[in-house]
Amino acid sequence: MIISQLLVCVAISVFCVLKASSLDTFIAAVYEHAVILPNVTLTPVPREMALGLMSRNLDLLEGAITTAAKQGAHIIVTPEDGLYGWNFNRESIYPYLEDIPDPQVNWIPCNHPNRFGHTPVQERLSCLAKENSIYVVANIGDKKPCNASDPQCPSDGRYQYNTDVVFDSQGKLVARYHKQNLFLGEDQFNAPKEPEVVTFDTAFGRFGIFTCFDILFHDPAVTLVKDFHVDTILFPTAWMNVLPHLSAIEFHSAWAMGMKVNFLASNIHHPSKKMTGSGIYAPDSPRAFHYDMKTEKGKLLLSQLDSHPKRPIVVNWTSYASGIEAFPTSNKAFKGTVFFDEYTFLELRGVTGNYTVCQKELCCHLSYKMSEKRTDEVYALGAFDGLHTVEGSYHLQICTLLKCKTTSLHTCGHSVETAFTRFEMFSLSGTFGTQYVFPEVLLSEIQLAPGEFQVLSDGRLLSLKPPSGPVLTVTLFGRVYEKDHTSNASSDFMEYTLTVMLIVITPILYSLSFQ
């Protein structure tokens, strides 16, 4: 009897401890870092010089980490390439790399810095996490030796990986992720042989992690949410803004809403290469975001999030659009180019209206009302259903209301940052052939519209009230992952087209470093 009572008491005590250690909410921090860059060189610098540059960047990260911890943050995310930048080839990146072990080794570098060789960067990150009692997420380079027994071993005898690491509040290495989807120009790194799905559990939810260009592909990004049920995504990035649909705050907040997860995005701050845009995003709305093309300063963001965000309603993205007839119009459709893709457009000619535009299997329906129809601005409704084949190969289905750059229709789809036309309401839907659709609303001066729109269960993107600023774009950005490697075009034609595009744009994209 006494033993059974003791067991009950122990069980109750354990339950109370577990409950007390589990948090319903947490404070998240992301730091947009103005990285100190090395001098561009194609030859390796001495290791001491590489460590010196990384130390200077770590000094800046330390300031953000200590400030975030003092303000109660439980976790902080820092950006991709945040310790050394991006201007490297395979040889010149080598002095910046460290051997990063599998987290299963149960290692606190701050306590045992030489256990896996000379690892001063991991030691310092570990100590920053431990001394400030905060989870620290950083991006560094990993090196792994290989030999001729591995048929895929590079000729220099090593793999080099673009790598995210996470240290917990005790300084322990708890996660290591090797970037899968390398961007054009990232020839200094190897992709892992298979996509890595990396998660870790905390008192404030389950976390998953991936890097920058990974967000546009199924693995590991979608797998983390769909199969591993993470609550929050950690996202170090070096993202160059590409309007109208791929500015950082616009697309990352849309991904959080579409996938119904928290999303912590930390971007490099380098305005001359259009790198800015970080945020803390919940499934229902952005909590904090930053976009700054005017200064050279970094920025720390903090916000409270639910540890286990409530999953919004299940959306049938084609329900409404497939159940209505196409809106009649006398307008003639025209073609326009958005980031090298040919869209089908209709001009919005009235202060209010209903329009339908179709391309292939996708039909987009729009109802809207403007405050006034200005003569100096033109808006259009566009549809795209096809394989994008520029910096990567991925199938898109996109419905978009956007402002054209000028009053000339051939500028519809060009990059534009300001507008003056205000909308009283909008409702956008499409006959999507995918469940992966990301809703975007972007206002003039590259601002988001938190709390000003919603997605209904029938797939409509609907304004809740008149947007607080003039509209740049309202978009449903769909990804059809299963069609990424298929096309109706002949393989010869596709190969020729891709080759021509790469010759034309590779120098542009590489110089802009949209990784």
Side-chain angles (χ1 to χ4, degrees):
M1 183 70 175
I2 294 176
I3 294 177
S4 63
Q5 289 176 334
L6 284 173
L7 289 173
V8 170
C9 291
V10 169
I12 292 174
S13 298
V14 170
F15 173 77
C16 291
V17 169
L18 289 174
K19 188 171 183 180
S21 65
S22 179
L23 302 175
D24 294 329
T25 62
F26 69 102
I27 303 298
V30 301
Y31 181 54
E32 180 160 309
H33 172 45
V35 61
I36 302 170
L37 298 173
N39 295 326
V40 178
T41 175
L42 298 180
T43 58
V45 300
R47 171 69 171 163
E48 293 74 18
M49 186 179 294
L51 286 174
L53 177 83
M54 290 190 287
S55 180
R56 293 171 64 195
N57 278 300
L58 280 165
D59 289 343
L60 295 175
L61 298 187
E62 179 176 354
I65 291 167
T66 55
T67 300
K70 288 176 181 177
Q71 296 185 41
H74 296 86
I75 188 168
I76 182 169
V77 185
T78 63
E80 179 187 26
D81 298 335
L83 296 184
Y84 42 66
W86 49 85
N87 291 317
F88 297 100
N89 59 24
R90 186 170 180 83
E91 290 72 33
S92 63
I93 191 67
Y94 185 71
Y96 297 85
L97 309 180
E98 291 187 357
D99 187 354
I100 306 170
D102 189 309
Q104 292 182 356
V105 299
N106 192 26
W107 180 41
I108 299 177
C110 191
N111 295 351
H112 304 96
N114 298 316
R115 183 179 168 191
F116 295 97
H118 188 54
T119 55
V121 174
Q122 293 171 82
E123 178 187 356
R124 186 166 180 190
L125 289 168
S126 170
C127 290
L128 285 172
K130 179 181 178 181
E131 292 165 3
N132 292 282
S133 298
I134 187 173
Y135 280 72
V136 173
V137 183
N139 177 264
I140 59 179
D142 188 11
K143 57 182 179 181
K144 290 289 179 283
C146 58
N147 55 46
S149 64
D150 177 0
Q152 298 182 42
C153 181
S155 59
D156 55 16
R158 63 181 182 266
Y159 290 103
Q160 300 180 171
Y161 299 110
N162 179 331
T163 308
D164 299 327
V165 291
V166 183
F167 297 92
D168 71 9
S169 56
Q170 304 301 312
K172 179 182 175 181
L173 178 66
V174 295
R176 179 196 68 185
Y177 168 70
H178 296 139
K179 183 178 180 181
Q180 178 65 36
N181 299 286
L182 299 173
F183 190 72
L184 287 176
E186 277 194 281
D187 299 331
Q188 68 269 37
F189 293 120
N190 301 103
K193 296 174 183 178
E194 296 293 336
E196 300 175 356
V197 180
V198 175
T199 68
F200 61 96
D201 293 306
T202 73
F204 43 97
R206 169 169 285 189
F207 287 75
I209 188 166
F210 56 83
T211 312
C212 206
F213 200 41
D214 284 327
I215 196 173
L216 283 166
F217 300 92
H218 188 277
D219 295 322
V222 173
T223 299
L224 279 167
V225 180
K226 183 170 66 75
D227 298 332
F228 289 80
H229 311 292
V230 298
D231 301 300
T232 301
I233 291 293
L234 306 172
F235 186 66
T237 186
W239 190 281
M240 189 277 289
N241 293 295
V242 179
L243 293 169
H245 301 138
L246 286 171
S247 68
I249 60 173
E250 171 190 30
F251 187 65
H252 302 160
S253 61
W255 202 91
M257 181 174 284
M259 296 303 297
K260 306 176 179 63
V261 291
N262 296 327
F263 195 88
L264 310 184
S266 170
N267 199 5
I268 288 287
H269 187 77
H270 200 83
S272 66
K273 293 190 180 296
K274 298 185 179 180
M275 287 178 169
T276 182
S278 301
I280 300 171
Y281 310 111
D284 59 342
S285 183
R287 294 290 192 266
F289 62 93
H290 176 69
Y291 178 92
D292 171 24
M293 286 289 290
K294 297 178 181 179
T295 76
E296 301 296 328
K297 297 179 180 179
K299 179 71 173 180
L300 177 65
L301 301 175
L302 293 96
S303 187
Q304 180 173 289
L305 291 170
D306 291 333
S307 299
H308 307 283
K310 296 177 181 178
R311 306 297 184 187
I313 58 172
V314 176
V315 177
N316 181 337
W317 286 103
T318 194
S319 176
Y320 177 80
S322 61
I324 65 172
E325 296 292 330
F327 296 125
T329 180
S330 58
N331 288 14
K332 183 179 180 180
F334 63 95
K335 302 296 184 182
T337 301
V338 180
F339 195 30
F340 299 94
D341 295 326
E342 187 177 74
Y343 281 56
T344 302
F345 282 111
L346 281 175
E347 180 186 358
L348 309 188
R349 291 184 175 173
V351 69
T352 184
N354 301 290
Y355 288 91
T356 297
V357 66
C358 300
Q359 186 179 105
K360 297 181 181 176
E361 299 176 6
L362 177 68
C363 285
C364 305
H365 304 295
L366 172 70
S367 298
Y368 72 93
K369 182 180 180 182
M370 300 174 180
S371 298
E372 63 171 333
K373 181 68 175 73
R374 298 175 61 101
T375 58
D376 59 346
E377 291 191 326
V378 169
Y379 284 78
L381 171 65
F384 177 74
D385 183 0
L387 192 69
H388 177 85
T389 57
V390 183
E391 80 298 353
S393 178
Y394 47 92
H395 195 105
L396 301 173
Q397 285 190 326
I398 295 178
C399 293
T400 184
L401 155 67
L402 54 75
K403 183 203 167 186
C404 306
K405 189 175 182 67
T406 71
T407 55
S408 174
L409 294 183
H410 80 268
T411 67
C412 295
H414 293 192
S415 176
V416 57
E417 298 185 0
T418 59
F420 296 96
T421 299
R422 291 181 176 269
F423 282 71
E424 294 293 321
M425 64 80 62
F426 57 78
S427 174
L428 180 67
S429 61
T431 56
F432 291 95
T434 177
Q435 62 178 309
Y436 300 108
V437 180
F438 311 114
E440 302 178 344
V441 175
L442 192 66
L443 305 181
S444 183
E445 305 290 346
I446 319 300
Q447 294 297 305
L448 301 181
E452 297 178 11
F453 65 93
Q454 66 176 343
V455 173
L456 302 184
S457 61
D458 61 10
R460 280 179 288 172
L461 171 55
L462 187 71
S463 57
L464 289 172
K465 56 185 177 182
S468 55
V471 168
L472 288 180
T473 178
V474 176
T475 302
L476 291 170
F477 189 107
R479 278 287 284 113
V480 190
Y481 299 107
E482 62 271 22
K483 290 187 177 182
D484 280 0
H485 303 291
T486 62
S487 173
N488 291 328
S490 71
S491 59
D492 289 342
F493 176 75
M494 287 301 297
E495 182 177 355
Y496 170 77
T497 302
L498 181 57
T499 300
V500 171
M501 284 184 169
L502 289 177
I503 291 172
V504 172
I505 72 161
T506 294
I508 300 172
L509 292 174
Y510 180 60
S511 67
L512 290 173
S513 298
F514 169 33
Q515 298 181 352

